[in-house]
Amino acid sequence: MAVSAEIIEKLDKLNSSNMEYAVHYIEYLLNQQQTPRRSHTEFGCWEGQLKQISDDFDEELDVFEDYK
């Protein structure tokens, strides 16, 4: 896809501060294209990584005592 004259004209109208924002945003978009996103988390992805679970993990939190 070639850069259209319309885009160049719009970029020329920007002041230096906004031009810098535009450049950073373009770099961000280019980075997004290069970084593949995982569409889902595989089952067992934490296997072997969780070292310790607190003994009171399943207990109610103190914050919810008013709702008993």
Side-chain angles (χ1 to χ4, degrees), residues 13-65:
K13 291 179 183 178
L14 294 175
N15 62 26
S16 62
S17 176
N18 286 334
M19 178 67 77
E20 189 174 331
Y21 287 127
V23 169
H24 286 294
Y25 186 66
I26 291 169
E27 289 172 353
Y28 166 78
L29 291 175
L30 290 172
N31 188 34
Q32 291 294 88
Q33 284 182 341
Q34 295 171 0
T35 307
R37 290 187 171 196
R38 296 176 80 183
S39 60
H40 67 281
T41 303
E42 296 178 18
F43 181 75
C45 65
W46 281 89
E47 185 175 352
Q49 295 184 23
L50 193 57
K51 303 295 181 195
Q52 179 181 356
I53 295 179
S54 177
D55 293 335
D56 63 349
F57 180 77
D58 290 330
E59 299 296 321
E60 292 182 14
L61 298 175
D62 296 337
V63 177
F64 298 115
E65 285 190 11

